Amino acid sequence: MNFNQSLQQMLHFDRPAEVCQFEWGYWPETLVRWKNEGLQSTPWQDLGITYYDRVPVQVRIFPPFEEQVLSETPTTQIIRNAEGILCEISKATSAIPHYIRHPVSNLREFDELKERLDWQTPGRFPANWKQEAEKLRHRNHILVMGGIEISFFGWHRDLMGVENLLMAYYDQ
């Protein structure tokens, strides 16, 4: 049984012989440590964790915002990232940033951002999209559109921040 068949059985409430175990990734520092402790290749290969292909499509904000360093200290930087999020990041580790401001805090800001969400924007799909799509038909992995996982909560949280998103869920 391959991963696609296993996932299809799970989605139909069947009991596959092998269950997909999803891992979205690991901190780079963790992978370095594990390799120093004996990891031979990758967690996906060594531990049999379900692997998934990341389709080279820009599914979130596109075109991305210009990344900018707005200020810095000896240990941190305040940046505006490609998603338009203003955050403080560590210079020493890849720890979760401290989020300061998200690109959408009201409906006007969402309306201003909408053009970056248009799926027909040139460049969202690679020039060889038809060949990429054909290759993916024959994969033995789970498929994720774009270079990052998208959930029904996470992407909207990135656009609005947790508090604004939860208030929008309640109000709207």
Side-chain angles (χ1 to χ4, degrees), residues 75-131:
T75 59
T76 64
Q77 291 180 324
I78 305 289
I79 66 163
R80 181 169 320 275
N81 69 18
E83 298 282 321
I85 301 170
L86 185 67
C87 55
E88 181 179 29
I89 60 170
S90 169
K91 289 182 176 180
T93 70
S94 58
I96 295 172
H98 167 71
Y99 297 106
I100 299 168
R101 188 174 193 299
H102 295 267
V104 175
S105 61
N106 56 53
L107 193 53
R108 179 188 54 78
E109 289 177 343
F110 178 73
D111 286 337
E112 292 170 1
L113 186 76
K114 275 199 290 193
E115 68 183 28
R116 292 179 187 256
L117 304 176
D118 182 358
W119 69 273
Q120 296 181 32
T121 302
R124 264 197 197 275
F125 293 85
N128 65 340
W129 173 240
K130 289 188 184 217
Q131 293 87 355

Side-chain angles (χ1 to χ4, degrees), residues 105-171:
S105 61
N106 56 53
L107 193 53
R108 179 188 54 78
E109 289 177 343
F110 178 73
D111 286 337
E112 292 170 1
L113 186 76
K114 275 199 290 193
E115 68 183 28
R116 292 179 187 256
L117 304 176
D118 182 358
W119 69 273
Q120 296 181 32
T121 302
R124 264 197 197 275
F125 293 85
N128 65 340
W129 173 240
K130 289 188 184 217
Q131 293 87 355
E132 286 287 332
E134 187 57 35
K135 281 192 316 192
L136 293 168
R137 285 177 184 247
H138 308 290
R139 72 192 184 283
N140 180 24
H141 301 296
I142 305 303
L143 188 64
V144 174
M145 294 298 285
I148 188 168
E149 295 75 12
I150 296 177
S151 70
F152 292 110
F153 184 83
W155 186 31
H156 303 104
R157 176 205 58 220
D158 291 348
L159 285 174
M160 303 175 71
V162 173
E163 185 175 340
N164 283 338
L165 177 59
L166 294 177
M167 292 304 292
Y169 281 157
Y170 179 80
D171 292 339

